[in-house]
Amino acid sequence: MSFYLTVLAFLSARASGFVIRRSTHDLHRRALSARQSSVEGRHGTGSRFMPLVQLNDEDISPRIIQIAGVYPGITADELMAPQSAPAARHGMWQFDFSDPDGPQMGTVALGPNNAVHLAKDPVVLVTQSAELGLSLSNDVETEVLVMLDRGETDFESDKFLAVAGPDGSVTIRWYDALPDGYSILGRVVYVTIPYLSSMATAKSGFAEDDDGFNF
């Protein structure tokens, strides 16, 4: 279910590691002609591209599971008290809203990889693909996850940054030079795109054109 409907992961871990599929590179190529990319600062403008991870219909995201307590000593009532959430369907991630009084809107499980592990101060934003200038297969517009590292606040003109304007509003984009009165809140680590059946492309008969083909 959409984040926006409920409150307003990365490639699945494999024994041999993970790979970036050809479809990810195709996303970059298609972004050059996307109508959203005409807005400077978005993905595909100024020869700058956000790191993208495209899930497919076989990927299984990490599942968020509640901790009931410590054994021995736990009671039957305590063991039965936590409410479990269903696993995310293949190609999608899973949100958790177990702390409605906390400052976060919820939590989401991201897969094990160096980008997540090495992030100094990570948070996730939920947005629509069009807001970032992404052009997806079959012109689909969908909800995506933006992982930011708030520990990375140095200016780099070739990176996508989350910046605060003088009025406190947040913008995600690249800059040739940071405007006066703007401050860097963090750097975009990568954007996760779900798998949707509406993104499926017609089979050409060539294995290298298959979205699941790995080099």
Side-chain angles (χ1 to χ4, degrees):
M1 181 177 291
S2 166
F3 179 91
Y4 296 111
L5 293 179
T6 51
V7 168
L8 192 121
F10 203 68
L11 293 172
S12 61
R14 301 180 189 272
S16 59
F18 61 91
V19 295
I20 302 300
R21 295 176 172 80
R22 182 176 179 176
S23 57
T24 302
H25 302 291
D26 291 341
L27 290 172
H28 292 317
R29 175 176 55 79
R30 285 194 293 267
L32 290 173
S33 60
R35 60 179 177 81
Q36 297 98 337
S37 295
S38 62
V39 179
E40 184 173 299
R42 288 183 172 181
H43 176 85
T45 62
S47 298
R48 295 168 174 86
F49 303 92
M50 291 186 184
L52 305 178
V53 174
Q54 172 75 69
L55 303 180
N56 69 27
D57 60 349
E58 296 180 352
D59 287 326
I60 301 174
S61 293
R63 185 172 182 180
I64 301 170
I65 300 177
Q66 304 293 326
I67 298 174
V70 178
Y71 172 86
I74 188 171
T75 68
D77 287 342
E78 289 170 341
L79 190 150
M80 298 304 296
Q83 299 295 312
S84 63
R89 64 174 176 80
H90 287 194
M92 183 53 73
W93 46 77
Q94 181 185 35
F95 292 118
D96 175 69
F97 303 99
S98 58
D99 185 15
D101 297 323
Q104 76 281 1
M105 294 293 290
T107 58
V108 61
L110 297 180
N113 60 75
N114 284 337
V116 174
H117 178 72
L118 296 176
K120 300 173 183 177
D121 188 14
V123 295
V124 168
L125 296 181
V126 181
T127 188
Q128 295 295 309
S129 56
E131 294 294 332
L132 302 177
L134 304 181
S135 177
L136 307 181
S137 298
N138 299 330
D139 296 323
V140 171
E141 293 187 7
T142 186
E143 185 176 271
V144 298
L145 303 179
V146 184
M147 178 181 167
L148 302 172
D149 189 349
R150 297 177 299 186
E152 297 287 346
T153 57
D154 292 334
F155 176 77
E156 296 182 66
S157 62
D158 62 340
K159 302 295 185 184
F160 285 84
L161 306 170
V163 300
D167 61 354
S169 62
V170 176
T171 302
I172 297 176
R173 57 160 293 172
W174 59 264
Y175 291 92
D176 285 323
L178 193 66
D180 292 339
Y182 284 69
S183 59
I184 299 174
L185 303 177
R187 175 179 59 83
V188 174
V189 179
Y190 63 76
V191 177
T192 303
I193 303 165
Y195 171 82
L196 301 175
S197 58
S198 55
M199 294 178 178
T201 55
K203 301 297 182 181
S204 67
F206 295 97
E208 60 269 26
D209 290 332
D210 192 329
D211 283 346
F213 177 79
N214 299 327
F215 287 102

